[in-house]
Structure formats: structure tokens, C-alpha cells
Amino acid sequence: MKNRMPRVFISAAHKSSGKTTLTLGLCAALHARGHAVQPFKKGPDYIDPLWLGMAAQRPCYNLDFHMMRRDEIEQQFARAAAGARISLIEGNKGLYDGLDLDGSNSNAALAKLLGAPVVLVIDARGMTRGVAPLILGYQAFDRGIHIAGVIFNNLGGSRHESKLRAVVEHYTDVEVIGAVQHDASMQIAERHLGLVPANEQDAARARIQHVGERVAAQVDLDRLLAIADSAPELDVPLAAEAAAPAERVRIGIAHDQAFGFYYSEDIDSLRAANAELVDIDTLRAQALPEVDGLIIGGGFPEMFMVELEANTALRGSVRNAIEGGLPTYAECGGLMYLSKSLDWQGRTCEMVGVVPGNTVMHERPVGRGYARLQPTGEDRWQETAAIPAHEFHYSSLENLPADSLYAYQVQRGHGIDGKHDGYQQHNLLAAYVHRRGSGAQGWIVPFLNQVRAHKARAAA
């Protein structure tokens, strides 16, 4: 089906150009004007989408060539963009950066797939006339990419801005739609996994509003909308009609300051599969509610390990439930929480203890980047095909028994020990890698199959 979906791809010449802050500000500014803004993020990112979703007041969706087929990307985009006044797709790294030499998984490839005009964010610190060959080179490198505008960032003042505008106007046919002065008040604090999660900051909404106001004052939002409106109609093949939902199940999901790394698409897919999601606050809840299954995603348990340790009632409740056979899926931070202890900055705190290993934090990443897994044949979910995934953890899991049962062999990445990932015990699967839950290779279908089978056995 063909649909007119106004859209812009926000990219940059290189990493750390400030495009996330600018995209955040654009989402907030356009939302403040009353527009329905749909944000997207390229790549396997959890933290930026939390901020972008809060700014737009709509869930942000990830689009990633490693984890999704091209038709899945198109369908996800079309589903989420439907009804929005404008969709903003934030890239990762630079416009032409990617894993493959041919650029098949680059930001440019995604912009081309979605037919999205590109607005290039340029960190202009120390630049004047040199900005012209940069823009001309980016245009010439791939004529299939339409660079419709640029936004200068980190300018040194009005004189600097005037020089840059004159250079671009003289040497190129690209429109300058914004010039943002260097402003420390717009920066969002960073730590080892990137931007601090929005769900962890009490002042997040106030900060988003401030960034939105500063961006609105320095970027021509009407021109941005016009660029979005220039995008061609998108011809998206219709997905097969979903099967009738199976029996309803209640799934507990850890969702609080310590745990919050979930893809919006996966939350949609769980609900579409007739799963009622019950939020669990691991810092304050005294016991697990009555649920048929449990999900503990990634997050920053090390930042809240004292509070997690202090909640002995919930830790005991979780341990007893898992040892009693409750189907449970945990990723990264969830794996750390389920281990015996967590060691960070000279302090050790007790965790749930159902995974018989000790988590130790390190100064440098242990596992980072895209991963690929092969089911071991001993996995209780009975998966067979290779699984695309990603990982980003600064911790290692130590002292696991030599006879531990693993669901995955690691073909690319680190996992738990460089060779294996997906620790299994009872009806628990806990891994360092993050998987996409939706789609044919996702974890949602096998997990819910296990949940429903366990529920049926319990009823019998």
C-alpha cells in the first residue's frame, strides 16, 4: 500500500555531533506546537529511545538491519508512523558509517530504504570554509541520498554562524535550516552505557522542555516540516494477518529505575499475543504478584544495588518463584540481578541468587556490539536457527559451575564466557545478550509457548 508519511532522517557527519540532543529537542518542540511526532532510532539502542519517546509523548521504535529483515523495517516504520504529522528517524554514528564495506547496514541505507530526506547535523566547532567540501563530499558519495538540509551545532556565536551560512550558500545547494549555539545547559549527563535513562531522572521532563525551547528558537521548524512533506509516498507491503490470540496470560515485567531496557515493538508484540503486562518495581515491591511468567530486562542494577539488596522480601519471592518453575526470561541487567552477588566499586551486595555465579563490574566493556548465537540443541525453548543479537555490558559473571547448561553457543560476541550464553535452570533463561523479541527469530513466541505450557501443566 502507498502512504504519504512525512519523514526526515536526522544524521551527522560523525559520531558525537549532538544529533541525539537535537532530535530530542525537535521532538519536544514539534510536540509543543501540537504536532504528532513519531520518533525512531537506528540501531540496537535502549537509552536514546527512552528520551525520544518521552519528548514526543509516543513510544520510540528501533530500526536495525542486523536484527530485522528489510520488509520488517518497512512494516514497523509504516505501523508506527501512521497518523503522525512527522516521523523523525535518528541515525547512529555518521551518515555513511556501518559494519559492511558496501554500506548495506549504514544510516544512508536505511534512509534510502525508507525514502527519507536527510538533515545533516554538523558539529561546526573550529569550522568555517571547510564545511563546504564536507557537504559536497557527502552529496557526491551517494547520489541516491537526498541531503535536504543541514543544522549546525555547537556554534561559537553569531559571527561564526554568519560565516558558515555564507559559505554554504555560496558553494552548495543545501539549505541551512538551523544553527544551534554551544550551550552547556542543553547537555544530558552521560555515563558508561551512554545517555542516562530518562526514566531515572526526576527532572527529565523539565530538561526535555528546556532543550525543546532552545532548539525551537534556533531551528526553522516550518522548513523541517516542509522537508518531511517532500518525502515520496512509501509503498509498504502488507504483513500477513496475525493469527487469533492464544489464551490470555499475565506476565510480570521489571520496570523501574533499575530495569527499563525494552523495545517498544516487543511491548506491542507481547500485548498483541494476549499477554497482560504487570509492572514490577524491584526496588519497592514486597512480593511477586500472581503471574504466569516473568521478564527482567536490562538496566543499571549496579546503580541501585544497595536498594535491590535491601529488598530481601522481593528477592526471596523471585527466587522461590523461579525455583518453583515460573517461566522467566532475563537479559543483561536481569541476569546480574538473578546472580548471587554484585560487586562494584569495592562493595558487594547480595542479589536474588538463583543463578549460581557472582557478577563483577569492570572499568571497560566486557561485551560490546552485535552478536550472533547458535542454539546448543539443549535449549529448553527448542530453537534451531542462528539468532542475531547485541550486547553492551561492563560486567562478567564468575564462578558458574562447570556443568552449567547453556542455551546458546556464541558465534560472534562474548556472552557469559566468550563461548556460551543463555544460562538455563528450572524454566529460566538468562543471558547477557539482548535479543529482539518480535519477528520469526524473536524470543517472545518461544517464551510465551513455555509460559502457556507451564500454565496448562499447573492447571492439570
Side-chain angles (χ1 to χ4, degrees):
M1 62 176 179
K2 287 190 176 182
N3 283 295
R4 179 161 294 284
M5 300 177 185
R7 56 200 182 275
V8 173
F9 198 104
I10 308 294
S11 192
H14 56 78
K15 184 180 178 181
S16 300
S17 295
K19 66 183 179 314
T20 297
T21 301
L22 281 175
T23 307
L24 179 78
L26 291 172
C27 287
L30 290 164
H31 175 72
R33 278 195 174 191
H35 297 304
V37 186
Q38 179 55 60
F40 297 89
K41 174 71 180 186
K42 181 187 182 294
D45 192 321
Y46 290 106
I47 301 175
D48 291 3
L50 284 172
W51 284 95
L52 296 175
M54 185 177 288
Q57 293 298 292
R58 289 169 71 108
C60 178
Y61 291 88
N62 295 72
L63 305 172
D64 180 62
F65 286 113
H66 179 68
M67 311 269 277
M68 306 169 74
R69 300 191 310 263
R70 293 170 69 88
D71 64 306
E72 289 177 328
I73 291 174
E74 291 175 314
Q75 291 166 16
Q76 177 59 72
F77 177 82
R79 283 195 300 269
R85 172 63 183 89
I86 182 173
S87 292
L88 297 179
I89 310 150
E90 189 211 336
N92 61 347
K93 301 183 179 180
L95 177 60
Y96 293 111
D97 292 330
L99 290 176
D100 298 333
L101 180 62
D102 63 3
S104 58
N105 64 354
S106 66
N107 295 277
L110 182 57
K112 192 179 296 186
L113 176 65
L114 298 177
V118 173
V119 168
L120 201 62
V121 176
I122 298 178
D123 186 340
R125 284 177 293 189
M127 297 187 74
T128 51
R129 193 166 179 264
V131 76
L134 187 153
I135 294 172
L136 292 170
Y138 269 67
Q139 286 182 302
F141 190 77
D142 187 343
R143 293 296 184 183
I145 299 299
H146 176 41
I147 299 177
V150 297
I151 298 175
F152 292 121
N153 194 30
N154 285 315
L155 295 182
S158 57
R159 185 178 177 185
H160 188 199
E161 176 183 342
S162 297
K163 287 183 178 180
L164 288 170
R165 286 184 179 273
V167 166
V168 173
E169 182 178 349
H170 182 76
Y171 288 103
T172 82
D173 59 357
V174 177
E175 181 180 10
V176 178
I177 67 166
V180 180
Q181 304 296 323
H182 176 74
D183 185 350
S185 71
M186 291 176 62
Q187 300 304 308
I188 298 172
E190 294 188 8
R191 65 159 173 260
H192 55 260
L193 285 184
L195 296 175
V196 175
N199 67 346
E200 189 183 305
Q201 289 197 348
D202 294 335
R205 294 192 186 280
R207 177 59 60 88
I208 289 170
Q209 180 181 350
H210 173 71
V211 173
E213 290 171 351
R214 298 299 302 134
V215 168
Q218 300 174 88
V219 176
D220 189 335
L221 299 181
D222 291 328
R223 290 304 306 145
L224 182 72
L225 288 167
I227 290 171
D229 289 337
S230 73
E233 288 186 343
L234 194 62
D235 190 1
V236 179
L238 290 172
E241 188 172 338
E247 176 193 5
R248 189 167 184 78
V249 288
R250 281 170 54 88
I251 305 296
I253 182 167
H255 208 171
D256 49 40
Q257 290 175 293
F259 303 100
F261 291 178
Y262 303 105
Y263 290 127
S264 297
E265 178 193 23
D266 291 347
I267 299 299
D268 292 348
S269 295
L270 283 163
R271 289 175 173 148
N274 211 13
E276 175 190 354
L277 300 182
V278 182
D279 284 351
I280 298 169
D281 187 336
T282 59
L283 306 177
R284 300 171 183 85
Q286 293 300 294
L288 280 181
E290 289 292 328
V291 292
D292 304 309
L294 176 63
I295 299 168
I296 311 176
F300 293 107
E302 69 275 16
M303 299 297 296
F304 300 94
M305 64 183 198
V306 174
E307 293 91 333
L308 292 170
E309 180 186 50
N311 193 351
T312 56
L314 182 66
R315 288 194 291 115
S317 179
V318 170
R319 182 173 60 252
N320 292 338
I322 293 176
E323 290 176 347
L326 181 71
T328 302
Y329 178 61
E331 287 186 345
C332 200
L335 169 65
M336 295 163 65
Y337 176 59
L338 295 179
S339 69
K340 292 169 63 177
S341 64
L342 176 52
D343 185 283
W344 187 43
Q345 295 184 339
R347 180 164 187 169
T348 302
C349 290
E350 292 185 9
M351 294 290 108
V352 171
V354 74
V355 175
N358 308 96
T359 302
V360 179
M361 294 293 297
H362 303 280
E363 291 296 321
R364 295 180 177 276
V366 175
R368 180 176 187 173
Y370 285 126
R372 183 165 290 275
L373 313 169
Q374 181 64 45
T376 59
E378 299 182 63
D379 67 295
R380 292 170 181 166
W381 287 5
Q382 299 180 339
E383 296 179 281
T384 56
I387 299 166
H390 67 94
E391 61 182 338
F392 201 150
H393 53 101
Y394 278 66
S395 70
S396 60
L397 188 60
E398 303 181 358
N399 306 318
L400 278 176
D403 61 351
S404 294
L405 186 64
Y406 297 100
Y408 317 129
Q409 290 179 336
V410 177
Q411 295 181 326
R412 173 179 176 166
H414 186 274
I416 288 176
D417 61 3
K419 298 179 180 179
H420 309 95
D421 206 356
Y423 176 84
Q424 297 181 115
Q425 185 182 177
H426 311 295
N427 287 320
L428 164 70
L429 194 160
Y432 264 123
V433 295
H434 298 281
R435 294 178 55 182
R436 177 175 175 239
S438 308
Q441 294 176 293
W443 58 262
I444 290 175
V445 169
F447 171 67
L448 291 183
N449 286 342
Q450 186 186 54
V451 169
R452 291 190 169 102
H454 179 265
K455 184 178 181 180
R457 288 193 300 269

